[in-house]
Amino acid sequence: EDQVTQSPEALRLQEGESSSLNCSYTVSGLRGLFWYRQDPGKGPEFLFTLYSAGEEKEKERLKATLTKKESFLHITAPKPEDSATYLCAVQAGSGYALNFGKGTSLLVTP
Amino acid sequence: DTAVSQTPKYLVTQMGNDKSIKCEQNLGHDTMYWYKQDSKKFLKIMFSYNNKELIINETVPNRFSPKSPDKAHLNLHINSLELGDSAVYFCASSQDVNEQYFGPGTRLTVT
């Protein structure tokens, strides 16, 4: 059975304090690994898709990387507006469904 | 323009009632989904339709019935609502197996 584990569950950072969120997965036939951001009371917002080990993608202060067992979401010099829950999801085989982790709740304080 | 929209945003109803949630996407995607997010914020797939054909039907009570009148719409009907059905329901869409775009969610409260 596919498993997605995110750590830490919650993270508090000072503004400008860089850190990384982890997403470890076990899946047969990874098709893609997805990162989403979710703000309170809103739907998940798509950030990145990674397809193969070694792949990296960047968007503003965020950088996602992928290995054969895990993905990292690196946040460089975060700002308070980066506060949100970050969700990782995997898509396997020929399937369409996203299998989500439980998320990391990030709080960035001024 | 809203890419994926859902109505209503909030739904409060009593146990035993029947209710529907509607979803529309204007992205031209061929696949639509329903996810349930529980009180612990865990998102789980319920159903998926590709070109109006049901392709994912996870283990959910048969009180839940999706219906796709066309590629741009996917509705969720729930019969005989129970307390445990209280959650936030998200609709999403994608083009084939690519990234999914989510709606704003419908918060269902069953009293």
Side-chain angles (χ1 to χ4, degrees):
Chain A
E1 185 178 318
D2 299 346
Q3 283 200 324
V4 181
T5 303
Q6 291 189 246
S7 61
E9 286 187 20
L11 181 62
R12 183 181 182 124
L13 298 173
Q14 288 260 315
E15 184 171 3
E17 180 187 1
S18 301
S19 188
S20 296
L21 312 183
N22 178 265
C23 172
S24 63
Y25 63 91
T26 54
V27 63
S28 297
L30 180 71
R31 173 182 285 277
L33 186 141
F34 299 78
W35 283 99
Y36 284 83
R37 168 190 172 131
Q38 187 173 23
D39 293 293
K42 296 191 175 181
E45 175 189 345
F46 170 72
L47 294 173
F48 304 109
T49 311
L50 301 167
Y51 294 103
S52 57
E55 189 174 0
E56 299 182 351
K57 288 193 176 172
E58 286 188 69
K59 179 181 179 180
E60 296 180 353
R61 295 176 294 282
L62 300 177
K63 179 180 176 180
T65 62
L66 181 66
T67 72
K68 289 186 178 180
K69 294 183 179 180
E70 58 191 348
S71 176
F72 291 94
L73 185 65
H74 306 278
I75 303 177
T76 302
K79 297 182 178 181
E81 53 262 42
D82 295 322
S83 298
T85 295
Y86 290 85
L87 298 168
C88 168
V90 297
Q91 191 179 53
S94 59
Y96 287 74
L98 293 180
N99 185 5
F100 280 88
K102 294 186 177 181
T104 293
S105 177
L106 174 66
L107 176 64
V108 182
T109 57
Chain B
D1 283 345
T2 303
V4 182
S5 59
Q6 298 179 226
T7 54
K9 186 166 177 61
Y10 299 98
L11 186 53
V12 181
T13 188
Q14 291 185 325
M15 285 177 56
N17 285 347
D18 303 338
K19 291 294 178 184
S20 292
I21 306 172
K22 295 185 176 182
C23 177
E24 177 180 1
Q25 56 96 2
N26 63 6
L27 296 168
H29 288 165
D30 60 6
T31 308
M32 296 184 72
Y33 310 79
W34 279 111
Y35 286 84
K36 178 180 180 180
Q37 189 169 46
D38 61 23
S39 57
K40 296 185 177 180
K41 310 295 185 186
F42 185 52
L43 261 174
K44 190 166 184 180
I45 184 74
M46 299 175 70
F47 303 104
S48 177
Y49 272 76
N50 176 260
N51 287 315
K52 296 173 36 180
E53 181 180 342
L54 182 66
I55 58 170
I56 298 174
N57 185 359
E58 290 295 309
T59 308
V60 299
N62 57 16
R63 297 180 295 103
F64 290 78
S65 54
K67 188 169 183 180
S68 180
D70 56 58
K71 281 172 51 175
H73 296 85
L74 180 62
N75 303 323
L76 183 66
H77 188 75
I78 315 169
N79 289 327
S80 304
L81 278 155
E82 300 178 357
L83 292 176
D85 297 331
S86 296
V88 181
Y89 293 85
F90 288 100
C91 177
S93 74
S94 70
Q95 182 57 35
D96 198 26
V97 294
N98 297 309
E99 64 271 10
Q100 296 176 21
Y101 293 87
F102 284 77
T106 296
R107 180 174 294 277
L108 172 64
T109 303
V110 183
T111 62

